[in-house]
Amino acid sequence: MSENNCLFCRIIAGEIPSNKVYEDDLAFAFHDINPQAPTHVLIIPKKHITSLTEASKIDQALLGHLTLVAAKLADQLSVSAGGYRTVINTGAGAGQSVWHIHVHLLGGRELGWPPG
Ligand code: 5GP
Ligand code: ZN
């Protein structure tokens, strides 16, 4: 399920170091290298899925799992009370720059709406 040339598959495999905050059979989470908020974590599936556009019905439970992992981490990282945001950028026009689906978890500051 992993792709040799995929940055996030390589992070999951430990070939590229990351500041890991969570791992289970299906998911992996680590601090973003260029944080956009005091707490900025990326939650990714161990299965390589390029983007939300490429996800299919068989990924339904996996995508739900990523969302619930984000909520659990928001609690653990103490950003739940102040509010937090989960974001999946899909496509270059929406800011996606890594082609392995990931949920951004952002918190620890006021988050404006609409996002840029
Ligand atoms: P996107 O722009 O695709 O929605 O989000 C990709 C995220 O991955 C960005 O926030 C970027 O800072 C982060 N990122 C890119 N390369 C690395 C890396 O090597 N390590 C970590 N921890 N984050 C990365
Ligand atoms: Zn990948």
Side-chain angles (χ1 to χ4, degrees), residues 2-3 6 8-9 48-49 99-100:
S2 70
E3 295 213 340
C6 170
F8 286 177
C9 283
H48 180 88
I49 301 170
W99 301 96
H100 179 131

Side-chain angles (χ1 to χ4, degrees), residues 13-105:
E15 294 168 13
I16 294 173
S18 70
N19 191 353
K20 182 173 88 171
V21 292
Y22 178 82
E23 181 174 13
D24 64 25
D25 288 351
L26 299 173
F28 191 95
F30 53 102
H31 288 282
D32 197 291
I33 204 168
N34 182 24
Q36 300 303 309
T39 294
H40 186 175
V41 167
L42 302 173
I43 301 104
I44 65 178
K46 288 188 172 174
K47 174 183 177 182
H48 180 88
I49 301 170
T50 304
S51 79
L52 190 54
T53 303
E54 278 74 36
S56 61
K57 187 81 175 169
I58 58 166
D59 302 314
Q60 182 167 288
L62 178 59
L63 295 174
H65 180 65
L66 299 180
T67 308
L68 293 179
V69 167
K72 178 156 74 176
L73 292 178
D75 242 10
Q76 286 177 5
L77 297 169
S78 305
V79 295
S80 287
Y84 62 92
R85 184 168 295 159
T86 51
V87 179
I88 301 176
N89 294 324
T90 305
Q96 185 175 3
S97 61
V98 178
W99 301 96
H100 179 131
I101 193 170
H102 45 283
V103 177
H104 294 261
L105 166 62

